[in-house]
Amino acid sequence: MRRILQRIPRCSCCCGFATCSNYVSEGISHSLKPQAGTDSGKQVLQNNTCPSMPRVRLHIQDRHVVLDNGILQVTLSKPGGIVTGIRYNGIDNLLEFRNKETNRGYWDLNWSAPGGKGIFDVIEGTHFRVVVENEEQIELSFLRFWDSSLEGKYIPLNIDKRFIMLRGSSGFYSYAIYEHLQEWPAFCLDQTRFTFKLRKEKFRYMAIADNRQRHMPLPEDRMTGKGQPLDYPEAVLLVNPMDPELQGEVDDKYQYSCENKDLRVHGWICYAPPVGFWVITPSDEFRSGGPIKQNLSSHVGPTSLAMFLSRHYAGKYMVTSVGPNEPWKKVFGPVFIYLNSAVSGDDPLWLWEDAKIKMMGEVRSWPYSFPASEDFQKSEQRGSVCGRLLVLDRYVSKDYIPANGAYVGLAPPGDIGSWQTECKDYQFWTKSDEEGYFSIPHVRTGNYNLYAWVPGFIGDFRYDTAVTITSGNNIEMGDLVYEPPRDGPTLWEIGIPDRSAAEFYIPDPYPMYLNKLFVNHPERFRQYGLWSRYTELYPNEDLVYTIGVSDYRKDWFFAHIVRKTGDTYQGTTWQIKFKLDKLDQSSNYKLRVAIASATLAELQVRVNDPNTNRPLFTTGLIGRDNAIARHGIHGLYWLYHVNIPATKLIEGENTIFLKQPRCTSPFQGFMYDYIRLEGPPSS
């Protein structure tokens, strides 16, 4: 980023800032960055502006309102609150002006009445008002009220969409307040997000991570005659794209999914003129499902999404269900839409580097001080929690083990592990350091449980006593001890307990179904069609894994999937072969099975006899992650503990049979996280 920043001269008005309105056209347009000798930190980012920068202006028209701070102009429909235009750096509209106004920049949701059909709704306000208007800031409200006359047509929520523009800021903010009153009917909310459709002839390069960015197809390339639909509508083979370099590749929006913890900034780059459009999400507190819940990011359109709630990689377990006598309110956002630009001749890809820098500044500035709604708690209204997490597993160490890299979070009170499907309220997560110390700042007031899980150990931790956060309070938890499930010593294990199947064997993709981005990539599991390779590798007999001989990195297929035989599918049974030199007839053995994803599947466990009518253990039908089809490598986490009586085992060679019998779809199956056999307890 150093190269571009050096091209931007210092403001001549003695304000001490590196950029100001005098130089917006000279290079990248940033939020103001203080030079030496000026104030620094959060207050500067949020409140201090160059006095020579134009003040923020509001132009109210008959059917639109325009926000203008001299760097960009944002046009919104009135009273709908749809973003219809973004003018920046000589481009009249960054959004796809060929689309209807309601299909450019909008908040939307998918909902249903209990037991009813799903309804897609682009949220349009019915009441417009100016909340804040001064030289430094403008905040607008676009509110849609609900009453009984709208039952069945609109979700029973009052929805208040807010838009904020600050002086000297190269972008704008948006957040929304959803409120359900106690006397209103029940509803189910499947998804809600903030969507942008950009100009397709300008924004062709997408970036969502340092190693996940590329030149993208046009939307026409996916249409009949240019694209061939594959096993599901989202996946299309590019047969005759406008850019011949893309011919033979697969395009699928799910290949660009990200975990919440990594979904901080993503967007698009226009080469001529060099302009970047970025969605920055500075906090996960309003996103559901915890830090490793996966969501969509950007994809062909060009489309960029700020996802707040979705069923992706979780299914029905991630639906917000609000009852008929249940008051509910939640603030989604704010998110920041950031625009940057470079001088012609500079490498446009540096715009991504600048966007990352801007994102880090927004994260440091959280929670923002400027949103006007009282429902968005400011820093002084919040509290914090700190402590240390230790692990006690006497079969690993007699001493306490620092929980290095543990995910530690506050989420609404619930069962152990309930945070991964909690989707009504707020969650706050951090990672512990190598000594197990953690700190969770800026927590909204309320009652929570403290949850955690530790890579390298199975199961979930929950601190049973509720944690009550009050304004300005810092709670010191002290040392907390997690004792993971354990009955006896490890006889053998397969995989790494990290809630992912990424360590297992992931085959090469079909050459005719490549996405070149993921060739020799750490996330090679995002290639299309990998599930079908199982039938090629095991056309007649299923996978057999021999303890002490096989290597899970080469010999354990990443997904326990069905086998295709002609036009039908059949269930599959995997075998784990192992030797017991000595059998303790007086005790039980324990099989631990951690599952990283399940899709309409059933795991049946049998020992030494695959033909018994009743399995020793069955999960029953579980899971709706669809992570196999959506290249997710994990969905929801499931952990099972199977007692194996010694009478089922023999001294010498033994076999555990893992059967998945459900077989009406090519995507039914599991992705395992980790499997372990424990011997009887030892003194």
Side-chain angles (χ1 to χ4, degrees), residues 27 36 69 76 79 102 213 226 277 282 310 348 406 490 540 565 585 610 643:
N69 66 359
L76 300 110
T102 54
Q213 46 187 272
K226 289 185 174 294
F277 179 98
S310 80
T490 299
N540 300 308
T565 55
Q585 296 282 1
N643 284 316

Side-chain angles (χ1 to χ4, degrees), residues 23-133:
Y23 299 108
V24 167
S25 62
E26 296 286 338
I28 290 181
S29 177
H30 296 282
S31 288
L32 302 176
K33 185 173 182 178
Q35 296 292 311
T38 67
D39 292 338
S40 62
K42 183 174 177 178
Q43 185 177 0
V44 171
L45 284 168
Q46 294 191 351
N47 299 319
N48 289 3
T49 56
C50 167
S52 73
M53 302 271 318
R55 67 181 180 88
V56 190
R57 296 177 180 272
L58 175 63
H59 307 281
I60 300 178
Q61 304 166 357
D62 289 340
R63 298 179 56 234
H64 297 88
V65 294
V66 181
L67 295 166
D68 184 354
N69 66 359
I71 300 173
L72 72 156
Q73 294 178 341
V74 178
T75 302
L76 300 110
S77 64
K78 177 171 75 73
I82 304 295
V83 185
T84 63
I86 301 174
R87 183 186 181 93
Y88 174 74
N89 198 48
I91 302 177
D92 287 342
N93 197 348
L94 305 185
L95 303 182
E96 185 50 85
F97 62 88
R98 302 172 188 86
N99 288 358
K100 293 181 179 180
E101 286 197 346
T102 54
N103 190 27
R104 298 180 188 176
Y106 53 89
W107 285 74
D108 67 46
L109 56 82
N110 292 78
W111 75 283
S112 65
K117 294 183 178 180
I119 299 172
F120 174 74
D121 179 14
V122 172
I123 304 166
E124 293 194 70
T126 55
H127 296 75
F128 163 75
R129 70 185 178 100
V130 179
V131 180
V132 175
E133 183 179 11

Side-chain angles (χ1 to χ4, degrees), residues 121-175:
D121 179 14
V122 172
I123 304 166
E124 293 194 70
T126 55
H127 296 75
F128 163 75
R129 70 185 178 100
V130 179
V131 180
V132 175
E133 183 179 11
N134 56 52
E135 293 185 352
E136 306 298 324
Q137 171 181 343
I138 290 175
E139 179 167 342
L140 306 178
S141 166
F142 300 87
L143 178 61
R144 186 175 79 184
F145 289 106
W146 190 90
D147 61 46
S148 58
S149 68
L150 301 174
E151 187 166 357
K153 183 177 181 181
Y154 292 116
I155 189 171
L157 289 172
N158 286 337
I159 299 178
D160 188 358
K161 299 185 298 180
R162 301 290 184 96
F163 292 86
I164 302 172
M165 180 173 283
L166 303 180
R167 186 176 188 176
S169 177
S170 187
F172 64 96
Y173 299 84
S174 186
Y175 66 106

Side-chain angles (χ1 to χ4, degrees), residues 55 133 161 216 271 302 329 408 424 507 547 564 571 588 596 640:
R55 67 181 180 88
E133 183 179 11
K161 299 185 298 180
M216 293 292 285
Y271 286 143
K329 181 186 286 189
V408 185
K424 284 186 180 178
I547 300 298
K564 187 174 183 179
N588 290 336
Y640 295 98

